[in-house]
Amino acid sequence: METELSRTLGIEHAIFGFTPFPAVAAALSRAGCFGVLGAVRYTAPDDLARDLDWMQAHTDGRPYGLDVVMPAKKVEGVTEADVEAMIPAGHREYVRSVLAEHGVPELAEGEASGWRITGWMEEVARSQLDVAFDYPIKLLANALGSPPPDVVARAHEHGVLVAALAGSARHARRHAEAGIDVVVAQGYEAGGHTGEIASMVLTPDVVDAVSPLPVLAAGGIGSGEQIAAGLALGAQGVWLGSIWLTTTEAELHSRALTEKLLAAGSGDTVRSRALTGKPARQLRTEWTDAWDDPAGPGPLPMPLQGLLVAEAVSRIQKHEVDPLLGTPVGQIVGRMNSERSVRQVVDELTRGFERAVDRINRIAGREQA
């Protein structure tokens, strides 16, 4: 499953796996794919350095990358406290009422809430890059589009390719103009922040818009046959995220959440602003329903919503409050019905790819003797 891009990066399979878990990213790289570690949850540079040290020790010298969440336009002098002060009191009261309705316990005294959506902030994202460029990363991806020009230049100075996610051909052309090296065409089916155009339409549109830049197909891909379809549409690889959430290396820290993912069908997700303030595909729960309820105050814009719900999400996850418990995940969740290792998933993807290629060869009259 080699393409020009995979050969450039020195990987066997043109599969790029995004994950917040170092063990999953390292296993992907060891399996001949390209592991991409999500950095948004690392608000402390030392924590990111610790996990990149671990990646170095567990990737067997194979290449890997980092994904950040960074706005294209620089915002000076804005702190997390400044943003917190913008959150209306009525929204805070709404969060309290939803949690009380479901009997969600408080965190223990002195216990800080877990992951906060602060990686988007200039100061946090740049501190992540200060750490990352001390390591031999081969790709820097940005989930919010093109990073600032000085970041693109800095990456190139380190010999690092820069990738950016796009939900339309218009976005993709902007990335090309900004000097991006790889465009990830992320369709409507994808987990997390995603646009409104489905992968089958989006991928060839983006390929045509930015040619000859390499494009990765993303969104709703979880089988080798779908990988073959993405490559047939002109992509030079695929970008997979959701499929790794139920691997044995994933660190969800919640058996209840894993069981919900394994039981979910492809229709059990919703594109909601409940988590971050931007439309993000996730499991549909009573939490997302509450934020989509016309009787409620509605979500705040990013990043206010993420900061507003950070402690609430930590409480829901810690106490595994099933009706509210969810996670970003794509429509491919309907195929995630068993726990397997990363290696087993990759093996199945490559076998499925071979089946698809053989089928097309037969249809085209190229069946080998």
Side-chain angles (χ1 to χ4, degrees):
M1 203 187 300
E2 291 186 353
T3 65
E4 183 179 348
L5 179 59
S6 69
R7 287 190 290 271
T8 296
L9 289 168
I11 57 176
E12 182 181 354
H13 307 302
I15 298 171
F16 293 72
F18 164 78
T19 174
F21 308 123
V24 174
L28 280 161
S29 291
R30 291 196 306 272
C33 304
F34 193 91
V36 182
L37 179 64
V40 70
R41 66 192 180 103
Y42 295 98
T43 55
D46 288 347
D47 291 341
L48 178 59
R50 176 202 63 215
D51 282 357
L52 288 176
D53 283 337
W54 189 92
M55 290 276 293
Q56 276 294 102
H58 292 85
T59 48
D60 295 344
R62 304 289 184 91
Y64 61 90
L66 193 73
D67 179 277
V68 297
V69 179
M70 193 174 196
K73 295 182 179 180
K74 190 172 183 178
V75 181
E76 299 281 3
V78 177
T79 66
E80 185 176 330
D82 295 330
V83 178
E84 288 268 15
M86 301 177 190
I87 297 173
H91 279 73
R92 294 190 186 279
E93 179 55 36
Y94 187 67
V95 170
R96 284 191 287 268
S97 68
V98 174
L99 296 179
E101 178 184 350
H102 291 274
V104 182
E106 298 277 354
L107 295 175
E109 185 176 353
E111 182 180 1
S113 63
W115 175 51
R116 295 170 67 80
I117 313 290
T118 55
W120 68 275
M121 297 181 69
E122 188 79 15
E123 59 190 83
V124 176
R126 287 186 179 273
S127 70
Q128 293 168 349
L129 296 178
D130 288 340
V131 172
F133 288 130
D134 286 336
Y135 293 82
I137 62 171
K138 298 299 182 185
L139 179 77
L140 175 67
N142 187 33
L144 288 184
S146 303
D150 67 297
V151 172
V152 176
R154 187 178 177 191
H156 288 164
E157 288 170 3
H158 284 81
V160 176
L161 297 181
V162 181
L165 275 65
S168 71
R170 176 171 54 88
H171 293 156
R173 281 190 287 268
R174 287 182 191 167
H175 297 340
E177 292 166 359
I180 298 303
D181 305 292
V182 181
V183 177
V184 181
Q186 178 162 286
Y188 173 82
E189 308 95 325
H193 296 133
T194 188
E196 299 181 352
I197 304 173
S199 300
M200 185 64 74
V201 174
L202 179 66
T203 302
D205 279 355
V206 171
V207 168
D208 290 344
V210 302
S211 179
L213 285 183
V215 172
L216 300 178
I221 300 174
S223 73
E225 289 82 357
Q226 290 170 310
I227 293 174
L231 299 186
L233 293 172
Q236 288 198 31
V238 293
W239 178 276
L240 310 184
S242 297
I243 196 72
W244 316 114
L245 289 174
T246 52
T247 58
T248 53
E249 292 91 344
E251 303 163 19
L252 284 179
H253 302 302
S254 170
R255 187 64 207 174
L257 181 54
T258 298
E259 294 293 344
K260 289 190 79 169
L261 289 170
L262 293 171
S266 56
D268 292 330
T269 69
V270 63
R271 193 165 162 267
S272 170
R273 297 195 293 126
L275 183 61
T276 69
K278 287 175 69 69
R281 186 169 297 285
Q282 54 204 282
L283 281 179
R284 181 176 181 178
T285 65
E286 292 188 27
W287 177 256
T288 62
D289 287 349
W291 286 103
D292 292 336
D293 187 345
L300 294 168
M302 188 181 194
L304 301 181
Q305 181 72 10
L307 292 173
L308 169 67
V309 305
E311 181 178 330
V313 171
S314 293
R315 289 166 58 184
I316 292 166
Q317 291 176 343
K318 177 180 179 179
H319 298 290
E320 298 189 335
V321 182
D322 192 79
L324 305 178
L325 187 63
T327 185
V329 69
Q331 292 180 328
I332 198 63
V333 70
R335 299 179 69 97
M336 295 159 48
N337 48 26
S338 65
E339 289 183 85
R340 295 170 292 167
S341 70
V342 168
R343 170 66 74 172
Q344 288 173 317
V345 173
V346 171
D347 287 346
E348 178 54 34
L349 292 175
T350 57
R351 286 194 296 269
F353 178 81
E354 291 170 355
R355 288 194 299 269
V357 171
D358 288 344
R359 185 181 306 120
I360 295 300
N361 281 335
R362 289 195 300 272
I363 293 170
R366 300 193 189 98
E367 186 171 2
Q368 297 181 3

